[in-house]
């Protein structure tokens, strides 16, 4: 287990390059805004050019994909050794920044649930920086996905993502999360709630608009936390003017066995086997059919 031990202290939120820039310049550039601008320019190109630049592969899991009249999206899983466009360069920067942010959140959740932080290390192997160019490594499932939804028609049915954590950032309304509201029977006549009153019940779930950056818990985190971390159900509803969004899904590396003891279980299971079991319970809302194991929208 020693080979997986993380360095002391929390995971870094900034890359060394970002730290150097912040110290030297006194400000930090917004790589998300730059990437969004480049993504918009990419989606404005003729469809044949988009397919040529980023040919689709691995189902919907890599390259450009389009559902006529509804949505189009670009899925990135690897970085070229020398970025050939600003889009690729900014995507590589954003990957490292968002992966670090979600890794930090994952460690905060681990502290709350008393899961050793080092338990995640083999599951995040080679996932916190965009993998280098080459044939797609199918054991690395983390993705960066850029969406453009059509006006009035671009939707995604309710679902839960497969991985650990997903960050969604959109430029307009459309993403909705299932909010499980908790209410208490405390009344004005009883300022101090009783033991019975503090045992709040889940109210009927309601869909709530998700504004700004939204972090969603995925199925793998729900399963490995033994259900203590609730998975975030979400959907995309039509927006009359259309919508663009950036989605980063931190998913597990599928190369190793998972020791379940640090998570409160017993025995072990191979990461790929568990991931496919989690994915098999869900439907791909980004395809025209139901024949793929993967999902993810925002």
């Amino acid at each position: 287990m020693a080979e997986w031990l993380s360095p002391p202290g929390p995971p870094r939120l900034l890359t060394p390059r970002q730290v150097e820039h912040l110290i030297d310049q006194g400000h930090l550039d917004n790589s998300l805004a730059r990437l969004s601008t480049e993504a918009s320019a990419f989606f404005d190109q003729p469809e044949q050019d988009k397919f040529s630049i980023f040919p689709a592969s691995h189902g919907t899991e890599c390259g450009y994909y389009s559902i006529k009249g509804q949505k189009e999206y670009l899925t990135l899983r690897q970085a070229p050794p020398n970025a050939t466009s600003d889009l690729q360069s900014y995507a590589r920067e954003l990957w490292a920044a968002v992966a670090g942010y979600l890794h930090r959140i994952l460690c905060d959740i681990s502290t709350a649930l008393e899961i050793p932080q080092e338990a995640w290390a083999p599951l995040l192997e080679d996932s916190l920086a965009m993998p280098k160019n080459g044939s797609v490594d199918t054991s690395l499932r983390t993705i960066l996905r850029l969406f453009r939804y059509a006006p009035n028609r671009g939707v995604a049915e309710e679902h839960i993502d497969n991985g650990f954590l997903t960050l969604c950032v959109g430029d307009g309304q459309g993403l909705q999360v299932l909010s499980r509201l908790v209410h208490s029977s405390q009344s004005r006549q009883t300022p101090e709630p009783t033991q019975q009153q503090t045992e709040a019940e889940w109210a009927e779930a309601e869909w709530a608009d998700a504004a700004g950056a939204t972090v969603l818990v995925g199925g793998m985190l729900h399963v490995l936390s033994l259900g203590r971390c609730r998975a975030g159900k979400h959907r995309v509803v039509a927006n009359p003017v259309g919508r663009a969004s950036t989605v980063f899904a931190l998913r597990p590396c599928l190369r190793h066995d998972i020791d379940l003891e640090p998570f409160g279980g017993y025995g072990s299971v191979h990461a790929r086997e568990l991931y496919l079991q989690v994915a098999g319970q869900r439907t791909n809302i980004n395809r025209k059919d139901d024949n793929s194991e993967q999902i993810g929208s925002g």
Side-chain angles (χ1 to χ4, degrees), residues 104-126:
R104 179 68 171 266
I105 292 176
L106 188 62
C107 289
D108 289 343
I109 291 173
S110 299
T111 299
L113 300 181
E114 298 183 340
I115 297 173
Q117 293 183 10
E118 60 267 21
W120 301 104
L123 290 165
L124 297 177
E125 183 178 79
D126 293 336

Side-chain angles (χ1 to χ4, degrees), residues 168 170 172-177 208-214 216 243:
C168 305
Q173 290 188 332
L175 176 63
Q176 294 185 334
V177 295
D209 290 331
T214 303
L216 298 162
R243 179 173 173 271

Side-chain angles (χ1 to χ4, degrees), residues 66-89:
S66 174
I67 300 178
K68 294 289 187 181
Q70 296 185 35
K71 60 187 172 184
E72 54 183 327
Y73 56 94
L74 172 63
T75 304
L76 301 172
R77 291 179 62 177
Q78 57 186 0
N82 296 304
T84 57
S85 70
D86 287 340
L87 187 151
Q88 293 170 317
S89 177

Side-chain angles (χ1 to χ4, degrees), residues 2-267:
E3 61 183 301
W4 301 118
L5 290 180
S6 302
R12 68 165 66 240
L13 288 177
L14 301 179
T15 66
R17 179 181 174 184
Q18 288 175 312
V19 173
E20 182 179 352
H21 181 91
L22 186 59
I23 292 172
D24 183 56
Q25 299 293 331
H27 65 86
L28 194 61
D29 292 338
N30 187 341
S31 56
L32 176 59
R34 296 200 304 267
L35 179 61
S36 297
T37 298
E38 292 300 323
S40 180
F42 169 78
F43 286 128
D44 286 341
Q45 297 181 73
E47 188 162 272
Q48 63 269 24
D49 291 348
K50 290 179 281 191
F51 278 117
S52 175
I53 297 170
F54 292 103
S57 66
H58 298 78
T60 64
E61 290 296 284
C62 188
Y64 175 74
Y65 198 85
S66 174
I67 300 178
K68 294 289 187 181
Q70 296 185 35
K71 60 187 172 184
E72 54 183 327
Y73 56 94
L74 172 63
T75 304
L76 301 172
R77 291 179 62 177
Q78 57 186 0
N82 296 304
T84 57
S85 70
D86 287 340
L87 187 151
Q88 293 170 317
S89 177
Y90 295 151
R92 185 167 52 191
E93 291 179 13
L94 187 70
W95 184 301
V98 177
Y101 175 63
L102 294 183
H103 185 199
R104 179 68 171 266
I105 292 176
L106 188 62
C107 289
D108 289 343
I109 291 173
S110 299
T111 299
L113 300 181
E114 298 183 340
I115 297 173
Q117 293 183 10
E118 60 267 21
W120 301 104
L123 290 165
L124 297 177
E125 183 178 79
D126 293 336
S127 299
L128 299 179
M130 183 178 276
K132 294 181 179 180
N133 193 34
S135 59
V136 173
D137 187 341
T138 59
S139 68
L140 300 177
R141 312 304 297 190
T142 295
I143 61 169
L144 175 61
R145 183 168 279 167
L146 308 172
F147 282 93
R148 174 179 281 182
Y149 290 93
N152 296 315
R153 293 196 60 200
V155 300
E157 296 181 358
E158 62 181 77
H159 64 284
I160 294 170
D161 291 346
N162 294 338
F164 296 132
L165 294 166
T166 302
L167 179 75
C168 305
V169 182
D171 67 353
Q173 290 188 332
L175 176 63
Q176 294 185 334
V177 295
L178 192 61
S179 179
R180 297 170 175 85
L181 303 177
V182 180
H183 62 83
S184 172
S185 59
Q186 179 181 353
S187 66
R188 296 179 182 176
Q189 289 75 25
T190 312
E192 295 297 328
T194 65
Q195 178 65 31
Q196 183 177 6
Q197 289 171 330
T198 58
E199 296 176 357
E201 298 178 354
W202 289 112
E204 182 177 356
E206 297 180 358
W207 288 102
D209 290 331
T214 303
V215 176
L216 298 162
V217 171
M220 280 291 288
L221 178 52
H222 171 74
V223 169
L224 286 175
S225 70
L226 305 182
R228 293 175 292 170
C229 199
R230 188 182 296 272
K233 184 174 289 188
H234 55 289
R235 68 184 183 186
V236 176
V237 298
N239 183 319
V241 297
R243 179 173 173 271
S245 68
T246 300
V247 174
F248 182 87
L250 184 62
R251 296 172 173 175
C253 168
L254 307 183
R255 295 171 179 162
H256 308 288
D257 286 333
I258 305 173
D259 180 5
L260 298 176
E261 185 175 353
F263 299 98
Y266 59 92

